[in-house]
Amino acid sequence: MREKILNILNTNAGHIVSGVEISNQIGISRVAVWKHLKKLKQEGYDINSSSKGYRLADSENLLYPFCFKNREKKIHFFHTTSSTMDSARKIAKNNGDHLSVVIAENQTKGRGRLNRTWFSSPGGLWFTIILKPDLPPPLSFKVNFAASLSLVRTLNRLFKIDASVKWPNDILVKGKKLAGLLSEMETKGDMISFVNIGIGLNVNNSPKKNEPKAISIKDITGKKVSRKKILSSFLDEFESKLLNIHY
């Protein structure tokens, strides 16, 4: 029900939608609508209330499937999960599609390379891409490199950020960690069954509280930016790079 409410508010982004209209569209009482909206606010969604109704103040930072119209069926959103890597592994083993994306607003056990703790503070972009390339395991590094390169190019194009890749799993800006990548692979015979690439990108969060040597896009640009635009642009860039990877 909450996702349906957010979808309605997102469709009417910038405009007030009455409780009666929401109630009629999803078939629940106005009291139930109010309770769901109250819970959404407690979870951190920026929803303005007035006597006329409700307005979603920041639609650019929603990451639900309905926000990605051309990829909606391949987006798996969790408000809270242990880690997107854990969820992606289950989905991949359960016939999850190539280029499916698992996104979480919160991770309770986010992790980096060598099982180091990854602090997933609110406002960051935490996601894992499920890939099923027609490649043998020794060539899996190609998709990892494509992901790193695509992320650097996306950040430079959108924000003129001069980021660099510290192989194998860090994206740095002036020596400070902006993003981390983690990959996990499962094989079948002599070929890759799936390889999942997890990405933690500091966007509108404040990573310095837990990681003094980390930095976010907000720290660099001095303003809040669109997580939805970053993810969409990155996925477009990454998908184009994958087309050039051959066995």
Side-chain angles (χ1 to χ4, degrees):
M1 284 300 175
R2 289 172 201 157
E3 183 173 343
K4 289 181 180 179
I5 291 172
L6 285 172
N7 194 359
I8 293 169
L9 295 177
N10 181 65
T11 302
N12 295 275
H15 301 284
I16 295 174
V17 184
S18 71
V20 173
E21 185 175 347
I22 296 172
S23 173
N24 290 338
Q25 284 196 45
I26 60 179
I28 61 175
S29 69
R30 289 180 61 185
V31 173
V33 169
W34 177 81
K35 288 181 178 179
H36 283 303
L37 282 160
K38 182 179 179 181
K39 184 64 176 179
L40 286 168
K41 289 181 183 180
Q42 290 172 349
E43 291 175 349
Y45 292 98
D46 194 357
I47 300 171
N48 297 332
S49 303
S50 69
S51 58
K52 295 182 179 180
Y54 307 92
R55 182 176 70 87
L56 183 63
D58 191 11
S59 61
E60 283 301 303
N61 275 292
L62 282 186
L63 299 172
Y64 280 84
F66 59 74
C67 298
F68 305 91
K69 297 303 182 183
N70 60 330
R71 301 178 185 276
E72 187 170 356
K73 293 182 179 180
K74 292 189 176 183
I75 300 292
H76 302 266
F77 176 83
F78 295 86
H79 185 269
T80 301
T81 187
S82 57
S83 77
T84 59
M85 292 295 279
D86 292 343
S87 298
R89 189 188 309 111
K90 294 176 183 176
I91 292 170
K93 287 185 174 183
N94 195 32
N95 297 319
D97 292 332
H98 175 63
L99 282 172
S100 292
V101 185
V102 180
I103 311 167
E105 198 67 63
N106 303 283
Q107 297 184 111
T108 59
K109 295 180 180 179
R111 65 182 188 276
R113 194 162 170 261
L114 303 177
N115 276 324
R116 296 189 181 101
T117 299
W118 181 275
F119 294 98
S120 309
S121 50
L125 188 52
W126 325 121
F127 65 101
T128 294
I129 310 167
I130 297 171
L131 302 169
K132 296 188 173 182
D134 186 23
L135 291 171
L139 296 184
S140 64
F141 74 91
K142 289 189 175 185
V143 294
N144 288 277
F145 182 73
S148 298
L149 180 60
S150 297
L151 185 54
V152 166
R153 287 173 61 90
T154 298
L155 296 176
N156 184 267
R157 185 176 66 253
L158 293 179
F159 309 109
K160 306 300 180 186
I161 292 176
D162 186 18
S164 60
V165 178
K166 180 184 177 184
W167 188 257
N169 69 319
D170 288 344
I171 305 296
L172 306 180
V173 175
K174 295 181 179 179
K176 294 186 177 181
K177 189 167 182 175
L178 180 63
L181 289 84
L182 178 68
S183 65
E184 294 181 351
M185 178 175 61
E186 186 166 297
T187 61
K188 185 176 182 180
D190 295 331
M191 300 297 285
I192 292 173
S193 176
F194 63 82
V195 55
N196 295 341
I197 300 179
I199 297 178
L201 175 63
N202 296 316
V203 183
N204 297 317
N205 53 320
S206 301
K208 293 179 183 178
K209 294 178 181 178
N210 296 305
E211 298 287 346
K213 294 183 179 180
I215 196 169
S216 70
I217 296 175
K218 186 178 179 181
D219 292 331
I220 298 168
T221 62
K223 61 182 180 181
K224 194 173 182 179
V225 299
S226 170
R227 294 187 300 170
K228 181 169 67 176
K229 185 175 183 179
I230 293 169
L231 183 54
S232 292
S233 298
F234 165 76
L235 291 174
D236 288 342
E237 178 81 25
F238 183 45
E239 190 167 356
S240 70
K241 291 285 184 297
L242 289 177
L243 294 175
N244 297 318
I245 295 177
H246 303 290
Y247 181 8

